[in-house]
Each structure stands twice: as C-alpha cells, then as structure tokens.
Amino acid sequence: MSVPFGGRDPVVIIAGTPWDGMLASERQLGAQLAAFGPVVYVDPPVSRSWPTLSRPQIDQPHPGVTRITPNGVRGMYRPLAHHAIAPLVAHAVKRQLNLAGVKPRAVMVAAPLAILSHFPESRHIVYATDDWIVGAGLMGLPEDRMRWVQRRHLETADLVIAVSDVLAERYRSAGHPAVEVVANGCDLDTLDGVDRAQPVQNVDLPKPIAGFLGNLSDRIDLSYLEAVAERGVSTLLVGPRRAQFGGDRFDRLVARPNVRWVGPQPYERMPSYLRLIDVGMTPYSPTEFNKSSSPLKTLEYLAAGRGSVATDLPGVRSLGTPLVAIETNPEAFADAVEATLAMDRTPELVAARRAAAAPHSWERKALRVADLLGLATPVNLP
C-alpha cells in the first residue's frame, strides 16, 4: 500500500501500544492531530521471520492517519537484543516515507524506545505518558534498560510533553530544559452518545451498577473493589486481566453473584458498557507510578455523564471538580460509591458532569500539542 500524504511531511508517533489495543493516549492524540496534517502511527513491532522484515503492514485506521506495523524478529525484547528494535523500526518508517517522497516533520516517541537519534533531520519529541523507570516492574521491563532509554531521550529530545505535573517535574529534575504539561483528555463526541449506544446482552446485573473499565493490573488496589462488592453493590468489570492480577482474591471477587467480569472488549463497545453503569470507579493504588499518571478513566466517566469515584492521586485532584468523589481508604471509597449511586441522575447533573469534562477534550489537547509543534491548521472546538 502506498502512503497517501499528498506531498505533506507527517508527524510520526512511535507508539507504545498498538492502534487496535486498549485506547491509549497516543492513539487519541494522533487521531486528533490528523486535523492539522498527515500523521504516521507506528505500532510496536510484531515478531516475524527474517524474510518479512522489509514488508511492514500499512493501512489507514483513521482519516489522515497511516499506520505502519514494523516487523521484528523473535527474541527482540531479550537482554542485549532489544538494542536492535529501534533500528528495525526506524528503517521500516524511513523506507515508507522515502517511497512517498516525504520526511517526518516531527517524531514523537511514546514508547520506551531510544529511536529519536535515527531521525536526525526531524524535531524530536518525547511524549511521556507514564514514568517508565518506576513502572518498569509493572511493565515487565528491566529498570536499568528504562534508565538507559531515559538518558538517551534527555540527550536527543528537543521537547518533552508530559501528561502530569508530577511526571514533568521528574523530567525537569533529570535535567531536561524544555518540558510542557499536556494532560490526558477524553473523547467528548463518542461519550456524549453513551445513552444511545447499542445495549449489550452479556450483563445481567440489577441496577444501579458501579463499573470499572480498563486494564485489570497491579495499578489497581483490589481492596477498593472488594469493599464495594461486599456492600452488595452490582459491580461490572470490563477489561483484560494482566498476569493473573490478584490471584485467588480476584477469582473470588468475580465469582460473587453481584460481580460481572466481561473480559477485554473492543473500544467501539465501550459506550455500550458505559451506558450500563451509574458510577465509574478509578481504584488506583497510591504508587509512584500512579502518582505520575493522568486520570483518563475518571474523565471518561464524567464525559459519559456518570458519577465518578477515585482514589486520591495528584492527577485526579488536578481536575478541580467536586463532581469526582476522592477517597483514601476502601471503606470510605465504598461509602462514596453508594452515595453517588443513590443520586438521581437528572439531566442537570449529567450536563454538569459533561461540562466538567469538556475543557479536557482531546480536541483541545491536540490544539495545544499542535501549537507546540508549530502546526497551524485550526480546529473547531466543542
């Protein structure tokens, strides 16, 4: 497939998650930046045999976005071998852009990959969505490798865009002189249609329902979900379970008659599950990794007009709205869930929740990033 750029130099996003995976920040931002010009979204490489290395998969998953899925080799994430990943990815991207007669306007890396130096003629951006060093164990990656990647980023990046003040300060403390904060956003257009979404048939819980939509991983403090379920509250869990998260405790939780876990679901079905819930939960542990995060899920609950209860993290407090109940222990968290469930979801309350989320739309986040990148096409904001 040829790359349709119309002679315009694209912004290249080296993503940490595949376009078709969980809807990550870089995908949301990339889709919105396409309003300003062509975007190349580069999936993490897929392990294949050597003869396929010169033929990456190319498609257009979104208007204005070209996805390149580079081919890697077996064992490429093992110690020492991981140094081959950046050259492989860079070769796949540059080959396709050369065929189209364009060069990257900017290269934005959102993955723990030291790749920026492979694009010497482009502007170099680190899109810091997580603290890779403190989260190395959570991601199953060696901490010393993540420290090496960050050092390379500090040496080569013209600009760091961090999703939280905490994460930005860590980059500033490490010595980078140009750091800007652009927090995560929410897809207002999609979430505005939650109450019109197609109903799902695999959830038979009585209303009202408290829900969690996202990765079930060690970022979560399971005791908060247990406290809610022990009150008899209908509890819906939507998302993949990572590395047998929670062990027997998780198995006992989802075996309760008032709890349903429907496993991983495509993003296109998320509005249908959000339609079911009355309160969205963000039960993150107060770890250093979570303290540097930006509360994407909390915003999505608000944008869907749902109540929101979260644990006490800087990114949640930065939203500055009393419409998110913030609690610091499981019992108080369960109390807040029950109190929010008891509220009548009036049109006025729904409108207030959506209004609280509106300043954080991905359109507005993209406008800020476009300004930082020197892109000029205007965007109509909601």
Side-chain angles (χ1 to χ4, degrees):
M1 175 182 173
S2 62
V3 182
F5 295 139
R8 301 178 67 189
D9 292 341
V11 171
V12 175
I13 299 175
I14 310 295
T17 56
W19 181 276
D20 291 333
M22 292 294 293
L23 196 62
S25 304
E26 57 264 40
R27 173 179 160 179
Q28 292 274 28
L29 184 61
Q32 295 299 330
L33 283 177
F36 298 83
V39 170
V40 173
Y41 188 95
V42 185
D43 276 357
V46 176
S47 178
R48 300 185 190 277
S49 58
W50 280 102
T52 65
L53 286 178
S54 62
R55 299 189 300 274
Q57 298 178 31
I58 302 173
D59 63 359
Q60 290 183 275
H62 183 85
V65 177
T66 297
R67 172 172 54 174
I68 298 177
T69 305
N71 296 307
V73 294
R74 292 186 178 90
M76 59 187 166
Y77 291 102
R78 291 182 301 192
L80 300 180
H82 76 275
H83 288 287
I85 300 174
L88 285 171
V89 172
H91 172 76
V93 173
K94 290 195 287 187
R95 182 177 185 274
Q96 297 304 317
L97 298 188
N98 287 339
L99 289 173
V102 296
K103 296 179 180 179
R105 179 164 187 167
V107 176
M108 180 182 297
V109 61
L113 193 62
I115 196 172
L116 294 176
S117 62
H118 292 274
F119 298 91
E121 298 179 0
S122 303
R123 192 171 183 203
H124 296 157
I125 315 294
V126 171
Y127 184 37
T129 59
D130 291 301
D131 189 322
W132 295 320
I133 294 176
V134 300
L138 181 67
M139 295 182 286
L141 297 170
E143 184 177 324
D144 59 347
R145 186 192 302 178
M146 296 300 98
R147 291 187 181 279
W148 177 81
V149 168
Q150 187 182 70
R151 285 197 300 271
R152 295 293 292 140
H153 283 171
L154 290 171
E155 293 167 359
T156 54
D158 301 305
L159 173 68
V160 175
I161 298 175
V163 301
S164 71
D165 291 320
V166 172
L167 193 52
E169 184 55 36
R170 288 178 184 168
Y171 273 90
R172 293 186 186 111
S173 298
H176 202 284
V179 182
E180 298 286 344
V181 177
V182 181
N184 281 332
C186 55
D187 184 351
L188 290 179
D189 290 340
T190 297
L191 296 171
D192 184 56
V194 160
D195 291 313
R196 301 184 299 275
Q198 184 70 26
V200 295
Q201 305 299 324
N202 59 342
V203 178
D204 57 354
L205 293 169
K207 298 279 284 179
I209 298 173
F212 171 83
L213 285 75
N215 283 309
L216 293 155
S217 71
D218 288 335
R219 295 190 70 177
I220 294 171
D221 187 333
L222 195 58
S223 62
Y224 285 82
L225 295 178
E226 290 171 330
V228 172
E230 285 168 4
R231 303 284 182 93
V233 172
S234 292
T235 304
L236 174 63
L237 307 177
V238 183
R241 178 188 184 185
R242 289 190 176 180
Q244 297 303 303
F245 160 68
D248 292 342
R249 285 177 62 191
F250 181 83
D251 294 336
R252 289 194 295 271
L253 173 67
V254 299
R256 297 178 65 99
N258 61 313
V259 178
R260 293 291 180 276
W261 173 42
V262 297
Q265 299 292 328
Y267 178 73
E268 291 70 23
R269 298 193 73 192
M270 289 302 115
S272 295
Y273 287 102
L274 282 168
R275 176 179 177 175
L276 287 177
I277 71 171
D278 301 277
V279 173
M281 300 180 289
T282 311
Y284 281 172
S285 306
T287 62
E288 292 304 308
F289 184 78
N290 285 337
K291 287 177 182 178
S292 68
S293 67
S294 182
L296 191 149
K297 268 183 284 295
T298 305
L299 276 174
E300 290 178 335
Y301 299 143
L302 287 176
R306 270 51 188 171
S308 185
V309 180
T311 47
D312 192 1
L313 294 172
V316 175
R317 289 204 172 272
S318 71
L319 296 177
T321 174
L323 295 173
V324 178
I326 301 174
E327 300 297 345
T328 58
N329 66 76
E331 289 306 309
F333 188 92
D335 288 341
V337 168
E338 288 191 309
T340 309
L341 287 173
M343 294 180 182
D344 186 11
R345 197 165 77 226
T346 63
E348 293 76 17
L349 181 57
V350 169
R353 289 167 174 168
R354 289 179 173 156
H360 307 280
S361 71
W362 277 115
E363 290 90 344
R364 292 180 180 272
K365 305 301 180 180
L367 183 62
R368 173 64 176 143
V369 172
D371 180 60
L372 292 170
L373 298 183
L375 307 177
T377 304
V379 176
N380 293 322
L381 295 177

